[in-house]
Amino acid sequence: MNDILQSFIGLGSSNPMIKMGIDVVIILVKIAIVVAIALLHVAYATYFERKVMARMQVRIGPTEVGPIGLFQPFADGIKLFFKEDIIPANADKPIFYLSPVIFFAAALTSLAVLPFFKGFVIADINVGLLFLFAMSSIGAYGIVMSGWSSDSKFAFLGGLRSASQVISYEIAMGLSLVGVMIMAGSLNLSDIVTAQHRYPTGMFVIPQFLGFFVFIIAALAETNRLPFDLPEAESELVAGYFTEYSGFRFAMFFLGEYTGMLIMSSIVSLCFLGGWTIPRFVTDILPFLSYVPGIIWFLMKVYAVMFFYYWVRSTFPRYRYDQLMSIGWKLLIPLALFNIVITGIAKAFAKGLL
Amino acid sequence: MLPKLFFGYYAVVITFLSVLIITRKNPVHSVMWMLLLFFHIAGLYLFLNAEFIAAIQVIVYAGAILVLFLFVVLLLNLREELQVKRFVGSWPAGLIIAAGMLAIVVNVIKSFTAAPRGIYSIEYIKNATHTKALGQVLYTEYLFPFEIASLILLVAIIGAIVLAKRKLRS
């Protein structure tokens, strides 16, 4: 990808300073493309969610703005932009301003290490998976600090709930991916995808079904989605940590939450469903499928996981707080640890060490 | 030139942030500065080609330990906390101890000699990836100290649970 862009710009200069400058420009262009496309996807994820949920509840969802309501996300965005920006009198101003930015920036930064198709990734770093964990834990600061700085009981309780929930489920999430790391032998997301293509099953979801189960539940909790959306439980806490936010600051939380969902779905797609590749046994039977570009497969997988999110949301009731904690600590973490032991033994066996 | 500039930036900012952390009146602001400090320390690790440790620094320190700090700090009564003096009265004693420490460090630096070059050069680590190089050393050569460290942590966990349970009963 970089080579193509290099030759497209076509300077081919030998001066290292110019070369570095071109690299920087290429990275900036890539970032602009990824952020713009990701935000467009986020906007339509809200539309998709409303339509899917409406159908599941025997309604029809948004229809008024544009054909079959297709411009609804833009109408919502414009509305949020022009709302009055209200700041509570007793709020801790600097932190109140900063927290939505931290939340949104942490979500967007995660996009940097995701390989969308073969060779297209902004930063192809060796510890990509760990980088994603790090960013998801930074996002928690946005939530906790917004809850505290709003100087409101509802927001504060929402923030505290979220902090404990995110810490608890992060452990399960991290451990559930260790099986994938062992099987792929790498933390680089592109390597994980190519490693899946080498295995006869083609996707890690089949040998790693325990890890997949744990990860997908932990991902729901990590993004504060139903049935684990206690930090923003409407019936108890109004809107939880962003109760006091309005206008564009609220929109940043909203966008951050949906970007977080997009990233979690992408991780599921990359680590368990084979990313931009399809299993070899499928292409053996239907060879013409190998001509479909990788980005199509990737997006189909991401949207399948997103659909699962919406499906869960419109199906399950909210858990109680003690149930949330006992699921995280007493079910998911032991399951993930068990999965690591099994995978480790299997890998050692396959390598002939046992 | 560029590496020196990077290191200079990190050294200056880390010192500056450390001072900010201990002088803020509001403990929540201290925690936020500390978050920034942890990011700079992670940057310093990246600068040393230690990408795994940099990621772990952010995940463990910023993502878990500092959130627990934040938990405690958020539950403080801030109105009372803001009235409390930041430093204890016996600062001259502290100053003397700190000056003594500095003198020791300065004296030790004189006898500093560079260790012989091992096999873990930058090229080696870049080839094998830092995670792999670290894992191989940690789980073969240093397995015993590693297990001792994990045992100590286990003792701490059990101790915390025992203390919490005793309070629940009474």
Side-chain angles (χ1 to χ4, degrees):
Chain A
M1 188 75 196
N2 271 14
D3 308 332
I4 301 167
L5 283 171
Q6 281 274 15
S7 61
F8 185 67
I9 295 167
L11 291 169
S13 167
S14 55
N15 189 337
M17 278 312 271
I18 294 177
K19 246 193 175 144
M20 209 172 88
I22 293 173
D23 281 345
V24 169
V25 170
I26 288 173
I27 290 174
L28 287 178
V29 169
K30 267 186 172 176
I31 291 173
I33 292 171
V34 168
V35 168
I37 293 178
L39 286 181
L40 210 62
H41 275 280
V42 164
Y44 275 94
T46 65
Y47 172 79
F48 184 35
E49 169 167 35
R50 290 167 75 172
K51 276 287 187 195
V52 168
M53 272 186 64
R55 288 292 171 186
M56 283 178 179
Q57 295 161 349
V58 206
R59 295 184 286 117
I60 50 172
T63 53
E64 288 298 318
V65 194
I68 55 166
L70 268 176
F71 298 143
Q72 188 67 41
F74 296 106
D76 289 343
I78 292 166
K79 185 195 81 175
L80 280 171
F81 250 118
F82 290 102
K83 283 243 175 174
E84 188 186 352
D85 182 25
I86 301 165
I87 296 158
N90 283 332
D92 189 307
K93 297 253 160 40
I95 292 185
F96 188 83
Y97 293 147
L98 198 62
S99 8
V101 178
I102 293 178
F103 186 69
F104 190 38
L108 282 184
T109 313
S110 310
L111 289 171
V113 293
L114 295 177
F116 296 101
F117 53 90
K118 196 171 171 49
F120 188 85
V121 49
I122 296 173
D124 194 20
I125 57 174
N126 287 330
V127 288
L129 212 47
L130 294 179
F131 183 86
L132 288 172
F133 291 153
M135 282 306 127
S136 84
S137 55
I138 296 310
Y141 279 91
I143 296 177
V144 181
M145 299 318 294
S146 65
W148 175 80
S149 64
S150 301
D151 199 39
S152 145
K153 294 271 190 302
F154 293 130
F156 186 57
L157 285 173
L160 283 184
R161 278 184 181 184
S162 166
S164 49
Q165 176 177 329
V166 169
I167 298 175
S168 317
Y169 277 80
E170 206 158 72
I171 303 169
M173 198 176 87
L175 290 177
S176 70
L177 283 173
V178 173
V180 170
M181 298 172 196
I182 293 175
M183 283 191 74
S186 173
L187 291 169
N188 181 308
L189 287 160
S190 307
D191 287 354
I192 289 174
V193 172
T194 43
Q196 289 180 67
H197 198 59
R198 279 204 303 276
Y199 278 83
T201 53
M203 293 177 176
F204 280 165
V205 63
I206 300 163
Q208 287 291 323
F209 61 94
L210 269 179
F212 179 70
F213 173 75
V214 172
F215 183 84
I216 210 149
I217 293 176
L220 286 173
E222 193 76 6
T223 45
N224 297 320
R225 294 283 300 182
L226 265 162
F228 304 112
D229 69 337
L230 289 137
E232 42 193 276
E234 292 91 353
S235 52
E236 310 149 36
L237 296 178
V238 188
Y241 56 88
F242 53 69
T243 305
E244 302 295 337
Y245 282 84
S246 61
F248 199 64
R249 292 182 210 288
F250 166 74
M252 275 167 111
F253 276 115
F254 192 72
L255 287 173
E257 194 184 318
Y258 277 84
T259 315
M261 260 170 64
L262 191 74
I263 284 156
M264 285 295 165
S265 311
S266 308
I267 301 175
V268 173
S269 156
L270 291 167
C271 293
F272 293 104
L273 302 177
W276 65 82
T277 64
I278 42 170
R280 256 180 312 182
F281 60 81
V282 176
T283 42
D284 284 347
I285 303 167
L286 304 165
F288 63 90
L289 280 180
S290 56
Y291 297 108
V292 178
I295 183 83
I296 305 270
W297 292 120
F298 178 74
L299 283 179
M300 269 169 64
K301 285 164 184 169
V302 168
Y303 276 101
V305 181
M306 295 276 260
F307 178 77
F308 175 79
Y309 263 98
Y310 306 146
W311 192 9
V312 166
R313 181 178 172 189
S314 50
T315 311
F316 285 99
R318 187 175 294 133
Y319 280 105
R320 249 188 5 244
Y321 196 71
D322 58 320
Q323 290 172 327
L324 167 92
M325 282 296 159
S326 65
I327 290 172
W329 288 95
K330 294 182 187 161
L331 177 72
L332 295 186
I333 292 180
L335 264 183
L337 286 173
F338 178 69
N339 183 39
I340 293 173
V341 173
I342 295 286
T343 316
I345 291 173
K347 175 103 180 188
F349 202 71
K351 274 194 158 180
L353 296 172
L354 278 179
Chain B
M1 184 60 207
L2 211 59
K4 269 185 187 161
L5 217 65
F6 266 113
F7 180 77
Y9 166 77
Y10 283 117
V12 170
V13 172
I14 285 174
T15 321
F16 181 68
L17 285 174
S18 314
V19 173
L20 269 182
I21 291 163
I22 56 167
T23 50
R24 291 308 89 196
K25 263 204 145 60
N26 189 335
V28 177
H29 291 177
S30 291
V31 170
M32 291 315 277
W33 288 119
M34 201 153 170
L35 178 63
L36 201 57
L37 173 76
F38 284 157
F39 269 99
H40 278 83
I41 293 174
L44 209 54
Y45 286 134
L46 272 187
F47 175 72
L48 294 170
N49 285 308
E51 59 210 12
F52 181 77
I53 295 186
I56 293 297
Q57 160 81 19
V58 174
I59 295 172
V60 173
Y61 281 88
I65 293 176
L66 201 62
V67 175
L68 290 181
F69 278 16
L70 202 59
F71 235 126
V72 176
V73 167
L74 289 183
L75 294 172
L76 291 175
N77 188 343
L78 203 64
R79 280 192 200 87
E80 280 174 27
E81 199 62 34
L82 288 177
Q83 308 298 324
V84 178
K85 276 174 80 176
R86 288 297 281 176
F87 296 102
V88 285
S90 56
W91 64 268
L95 192 67
I96 289 165
I97 294 171
M101 293 277 247
L102 185 69
I104 292 171
V105 169
V106 168
N107 274 319
V108 167
I109 283 174
K110 267 194 296 193
S111 59
F112 173 82
T113 49
R117 289 182 76 89
I119 59 161
Y120 295 101
S121 59
I122 291 173
E123 291 75 37
Y124 177 87
I125 285 173
K126 269 187 180 156
N127 269 332
T129 73
H130 181 247
T131 317
K132 211 167 197 167
L134 190 72
Q136 266 163 359
V137 179
L138 196 62
Y139 291 107
T140 54
E141 220 173 306
Y142 296 97
L143 184 63
F144 189 58
F146 179 78
E147 288 298 330
I148 288 176
S150 64
L151 201 68
I152 291 170
L153 285 175
L154 188 68
V155 169
I157 293 169
I158 294 172
I161 293 171
V162 168
L163 286 176
K165 281 271 177 196
R166 191 177 292 159
K167 238 177 207 163
L168 270 183
R169 260 190 228 117
S170 63

